[in-house]
Amino acid sequence: MPNLTKPLEAAARALCRLEGNPENIKFEGKPMWQSYLPQATAAVEAALPYLRDLPTDAAPS
């Protein structure tokens, strides 16, 4: 399994911003974006099989 740390953080931060929340404000002692990790994990894991099927030279459309 690939290292998903950076994509998961990026997805969690994006979800946080989408909700209108500041990413780095403290929430329960941690940066707010970390509270979005479960949703980010679900989204990235759901997309991963489809991303593996993409040609390596495919550009996003």
Side-chain angles (χ1 to χ4, degrees):
M1 163 115 1
N3 182 348
L4 298 178
T5 302
K6 288 186 185 274
L8 286 174
E9 180 177 339
R13 287 178 177 274
L15 289 168
C16 189
R17 288 190 306 271
L18 184 66
E19 293 288 321
N21 293 316
E23 298 170 41
N24 292 316
I25 194 168
K26 293 292 182 184
F27 178 72
E28 296 180 351
K30 298 178 183 176
M32 176 68 85
W33 67 265
Q34 290 185 1
S35 67
Y36 289 86
L37 281 171
Q39 296 91 328
T41 300
V44 170
E45 286 179 350
L48 198 57
Y50 300 98
L51 297 173
R52 287 184 179 136
D53 291 340
L54 291 175
T56 56
D57 62 343
S61 55

